[in-house]
Amino acid sequence: MDTKERREQLLQLLKQSQVPLTGTALANKLGVSRQVIVGDIAILRAAGVNVYATPLGYVIPVLQSTAVTTHFACRHGRDRMGEELAIIIDNGGKVLNVIVDHPVYGEIKASLMLSSRRELADFLRDSANSGAEPLSVITGGVHLHMVEASSEVILQKIEQELRTAGILVE
């Protein structure tokens, strides 16, 4: 298979998947190295394909046409990261990303794409095992999450629960 065919197959695998696919899994499926997949993803992005690299793997998000989104400004330490994300997920939200405003580099954004307790558990485990600090450490715990939900009512419920937990920045 040539490069063009491989990239077309890669794109189809990503479009058909309901869950994120790791670079290793894609490499095994297509018979190439993980680094080749990383390069192919970069080429697909340059061509305008909306591919997210999440902690769980690569994904092409399928946004529901009725979905609504908002940003929640939050503040907490690493010890409350799981609680915050669980509040959002348990109330019907999908955490699309985390954003911090770095004093030198400006906005730094990382895709999360978390919508279930299992994805959250995997994310928290990987975060703990990596030893890396969350992005919010550079802003004293202050960060934004873009959250998607099926209705404004769900977003309002999430906002109230974050407020009650003392996580929402007012």
Side-chain angles (χ1 to χ4, degrees):
M1 145 179 19
D2 69 18
T3 303
K4 183 178 178 184
E5 290 172 327
R6 184 185 66 246
R7 288 185 186 137
E8 287 173 6
Q9 277 195 310
L10 173 60
L11 182 57
Q12 288 309 309
L13 288 169
L14 290 168
K15 283 182 176 180
Q16 294 169 358
S17 180
Q18 300 296 318
V19 297
L21 300 171
T22 67
T24 301
L26 290 166
N28 290 340
K29 180 84 171 168
L30 297 172
V32 294
S33 71
R34 191 186 63 77
Q35 270 313 111
V36 169
I37 296 299
V38 170
D40 285 349
I41 294 290
I43 297 297
L44 291 174
R45 285 179 174 154
V49 178
N50 194 17
V51 180
Y52 286 91
T54 75
L56 303 175
Y58 295 106
V59 64
I60 296 178
V62 180
L63 298 178
Q64 303 168 0
S65 60
T66 60
V68 291
T69 60
T70 195
H71 285 94
F72 291 113
C74 301
R75 178 187 293 128
H76 59 79
R78 183 184 187 121
D79 60 322
R80 296 192 72 195
M81 184 167 58
E83 176 187 358
E84 170 205 46
L85 296 171
I87 287 170
I88 296 168
I89 291 166
D90 290 349
N91 284 285
K94 179 175 187 174
V95 185
L96 300 179
N97 61 30
V98 60
I99 304 165
V100 296
D101 188 19
H102 191 277
V104 175
Y105 300 113
E107 183 178 283
I108 300 173
K109 184 186 316 184
S111 297
L112 294 178
M113 307 302 275
L114 302 172
S115 61
S116 72
R117 277 291 185 143
R118 179 172 184 102
E119 291 171 348
L120 174 57
D122 290 346
F123 172 75
L124 293 173
R125 182 197 66 238
D126 293 346
S127 178
N129 289 343
S130 74
E133 293 291 335
L135 285 177
S136 62
V137 75
I138 60 177
T139 55
V142 177
H143 57 285
L144 297 175
H145 285 296
M146 178 181 273
V147 176
E148 175 186 275
S150 60
S151 73
E152 288 290 338
V153 172
I154 290 172
L155 292 176
Q156 290 168 1
K157 176 67 173 163
I158 292 167
E159 181 177 10
Q160 183 56 48
E161 295 261 345
L162 290 170
R163 181 177 288 115
T164 300
I167 292 172
L168 195 67
V169 174
E170 302 285 350

